[in-house]
């Protein structure tokens, strides 16, 4: 029997969506106001879920206190109140779209979660726009 446990978190970050190899006109056409050269910010909401078997000893799929600390250390401390384009090494050559941010978060957490368990990241850029990544 598999069950999914989840932990919610949030962080605030600024970014700019653009490609340096494109003209300003093409960046504006594709990314619109998200191409603001002075950046713009979001209050991101995050749900991290781990799916697996219930441990018969503890009754947990994963201790949510442990998941909380992993998110704090590897996601919140790395991304909160940062300019993703400037302050976060993973985005030096990677456009910080919601899709790419979700993959980066998943990659940061995956090494710290039992490989037998599934990991899913749901990232809300706005209350209506969100992405889901499961590896």
């Amino acid at each position: 029997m598999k069950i999914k446990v989840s932990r919610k978190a949030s962080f605030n970050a600024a970014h700019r969506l653009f490609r340096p190899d494109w003209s300003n006109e093409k960046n504006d056409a594709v990314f619109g106001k998200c191409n603001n050269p002075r950046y713009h910010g979001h209050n991101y909401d995050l749900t991290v879920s781990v799916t697996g078997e219930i441990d018969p000893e503890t009754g947990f799929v994963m201790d949510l206190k442990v998941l909380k600390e992993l998110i704090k250390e590897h996601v919140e401390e790395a991304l909160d109140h940062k300019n993703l384009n400037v302050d976060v090494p993973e985005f030096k050559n990677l456009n910080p779209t919601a899709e790419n941010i979700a993959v980066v978060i998943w990659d940061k957490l995956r090494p710290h979660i039992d490989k037998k368990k599934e990991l899913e990241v749901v990232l809300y850029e706005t209350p209506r726009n969100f992405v889901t990544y499961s590896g």
Side-chain angles (χ1 to χ4, degrees):
M1 168 179 51
K2 285 189 173 183
I3 191 163
K4 182 192 294 189
V5 297
S6 301
R7 172 78 187 179
K8 291 179 101 176
S10 62
F11 61 94
N12 304 310
H15 70 161
R16 177 187 184 197
L17 301 184
F18 79 108
R19 290 186 52 125
D21 57 325
W22 287 359
S23 69
N24 285 335
E25 294 75 24
K26 184 169 183 178
N27 273 295
D28 281 340
V30 173
F31 300 120
K33 66 183 180 180
C34 293
N35 178 42
N36 181 342
R38 295 180 184 240
Y39 306 94
H40 68 283
H42 293 282
N43 299 320
Y44 292 95
D45 286 318
L46 173 67
T47 302
V48 176
S49 299
V50 177
T51 302
E53 301 286 332
I54 298 172
D55 182 315
E57 275 188 55
T58 65
F60 295 153
V61 170
M62 179 175 187
D63 185 338
L64 288 176
K65 289 188 307 289
V66 171
L67 185 56
K68 172 187 173 184
E69 289 306 313
L70 289 172
I71 293 167
K72 181 177 184 215
E73 178 182 351
H74 298 287
V75 178
E76 293 172 336
E77 290 178 9
L79 304 179
D80 191 36
H81 286 83
K82 301 283 172 52
N83 179 324
L84 300 178
N85 302 75
V86 175
D87 301 325
V88 180
E90 288 88 348
F91 296 110
K92 182 172 174 44
N93 298 304
L94 181 65
N95 212 2
T97 62
E99 294 88 338
N100 284 332
I101 297 166
V103 171
V104 166
I105 291 169
W106 190 94
D107 287 344
K108 285 175 169 292
L109 293 172
R110 181 73 265 186
H112 306 284
I113 294 170
D114 184 337
K115 297 291 182 241
K116 293 178 267 173
K117 298 178 184 349
E118 300 164 31
L119 174 62
E120 178 184 84
V121 168
V122 180
L123 181 68
Y124 285 81
E125 189 172 71
T126 71
R128 293 190 179 116
N129 295 340
F130 63 97
V131 299
T132 302
Y133 182 65
S134 302

